Amino acid sequence: MSPKRIRILHVQAVDAIGGTERTNFTLLAGMDRGRFDNEICILGNKGPYASAYGAAGIVAHYLRHNLAKLAPLLRRGDYDLVFLYGLRANLVGRLLAPLFSRARRIEVKHGVDAERGRLARVLDRSTAGLIHHFVSNSRAGACVMAEREGKPPARMTVIPNGIDADAFAPAA
């Protein structure tokens, strides 16, 4: 009997040409499909990765800014993990996921963003307790999460991005 595949929902704000979006597509396309069942939820509209997700066989949910669609997705998805990328996705996911899903919630920080405004800092800090674990792709990002954002280092892991070395192979 094979082990149960881990069901993961990745939630990000937009489908755009950017570092997080590219990293997420590469990650989801490269993960072991025998062990992981990945889906992505974009809070906004279809963008440049929509056809790539389809071609890679990755289920992509586009909410088109209708955040009410996230609750039924979480309820029927029976996810084990919900990964949240960026402040907008984090705030929505932090508030809705505990109500509609048993999934563990993980905040992911790609890079070191600029200092947030006062309202964003208050919302982030007041809902950070709803996150089970924090992940950054760099030590610098982890430091920002701990020092500037006040997130607990004991619940933090640094996982550097992988690089496809074949993309840098010399031409024949």
Side-chain angles (χ1 to χ4, degrees), residues 13-77:
V14 297
D15 178 355
I17 300 294
T20 295
E21 296 78 16
R22 187 173 123 209
T23 299
N24 286 351
F25 172 74
T26 303
L27 173 70
L28 272 63
M31 286 178 76
D32 181 349
R33 306 243 174 133
R35 293 182 57 205
F36 303 100
D37 183 8
N38 286 291
E39 297 179 17
I40 188 150
C41 174
I42 310 293
L43 301 180
N45 297 318
K46 287 186 177 182
Y49 283 99
S51 60
Y53 281 120
I58 299 164
V59 174
H61 307 274
Y62 288 87
L63 304 188
R64 294 177 169 81
H65 306 287
N66 183 351
L67 302 181
K69 292 180 179 180
L70 183 57
L73 175 63
L74 288 164
R75 187 181 304 116
R76 75 175 172 266

Side-chain angles (χ1 to χ4, degrees), residues 30 35 45 62-63 70 82-83 92-93 110 113 141 144 147 150 167 171:
R35 293 182 57 205
N45 297 318
Y62 288 87
L63 304 188
L70 183 57
V82 175
F83 282 80
V92 171
H110 287 161
D113 44 321
V144 166
E147 295 169 11

Side-chain angles (χ1 to χ4, degrees), residues 137-159:
N137 65 347
S138 69
R139 285 183 297 208
C143 285
V144 166
M145 290 173 94
E147 295 169 11
R148 188 168 70 194
E149 298 173 5
K151 294 170 183 163
R155 293 188 357 232
M156 199 173 296
T157 302
V158 174
I159 304 173

